[in-house]
Amino acid sequence: MKELVSIAERVAAQLIARKQTIAVAESSTGGLISASLLAVPGASAYFLGGGVVYTRDARRVLMDISDEGMKGFRSSSEPYAKLLAERMRGRFGSDWGLSETGAAGPTGNRYGDAAGHSCMAVAGPAAEVITLETGSNDRLGNMQVFAATALKLLLKKLEE
């Protein structure tokens, strides 16, 4: 967790300096991204909210994305990660949206992705979507790597 908070401190400094805000949608990280950002004192200046969008019901309730709205999308994919980041940004009216969706392990998901597969997206003044494959089936390890990678992706966009 220390590594995550260390990255989150750098993200927080950038957001505070810019007077910008963020909202987070995460799946296989289980709230680690949000927890990391909230562990930094002064988080209320930049963190507007987040949700763990882990199930179909969570997607409908938290993100207001119906089954019909998922046509053409597949969970744990770059287009879905982009949709989540954009939707979270819009729902909260934040400057930035950050999302993560994947398969932490120890097995893959029902879409054919192996354990260690994650897609992450940043939406905002700058945007980017990436896919990460750790090659590991260590659930907790993958969750931490996914969260760190998502925070580093956001930090990269903030520093550009």
Side-chain angles (χ1 to χ4, degrees):
M1 188 74 182
K2 285 185 179 182
E3 179 199 3
L4 293 175
V5 174
S6 175
I7 303 162
E9 288 171 341
R10 294 171 57 202
V11 167
Q14 287 283 335
L15 290 170
I16 290 167
R18 295 163 166 252
K19 295 183 171 46
Q20 292 180 332
T21 56
I22 185 153
V24 178
E26 49 192 311
S27 176
S28 59
T29 52
L32 284 175
I33 296 168
S34 295
S36 300
L37 290 166
L38 290 168
V40 180
S44 58
Y46 59 85
F47 188 88
L48 297 186
V52 178
V53 187
Y54 195 71
T55 63
R56 185 173 158 195
D57 286 341
R59 185 191 72 231
R60 284 195 304 261
V61 173
L62 298 174
M63 304 302 293
D64 195 28
I65 301 172
S66 66
D67 290 344
E68 182 68 27
M70 280 297 289
K71 291 240 189 291
F73 290 96
R74 175 179 79 74
S75 293
S76 303
S77 69
E78 288 190 3
Y80 181 62
K82 182 179 180 208
L83 174 67
L84 288 178
E86 290 171 347
R87 180 65 58 100
M88 191 57 84
R89 180 181 182 221
R91 288 178 73 79
F92 279 89
S94 59
D95 297 291
W96 298 91
L98 178 62
S99 72
E100 180 281 331
T101 177
T107 61
N109 60 28
R110 64 182 181 187
Y111 309 105
D113 301 308
H117 167 88
S118 179
C119 296
M120 297 143 207
V122 172
E128 188 169 345
V129 184
I130 64 167
T131 297
L132 172 67
E133 302 286 349
T134 67
S136 171
N137 64 358
D138 174 13
R139 186 177 183 84
L140 182 56
N142 282 333
M143 290 171 73
Q144 293 173 330
V145 169
F146 295 171
T149 303
L151 287 167
K152 287 174 185 173
L153 178 64
L154 175 61
L155 184 60
K156 178 179 135 186
K157 293 288 127 192
L158 287 164
E159 290 177 341
E160 284 181 349

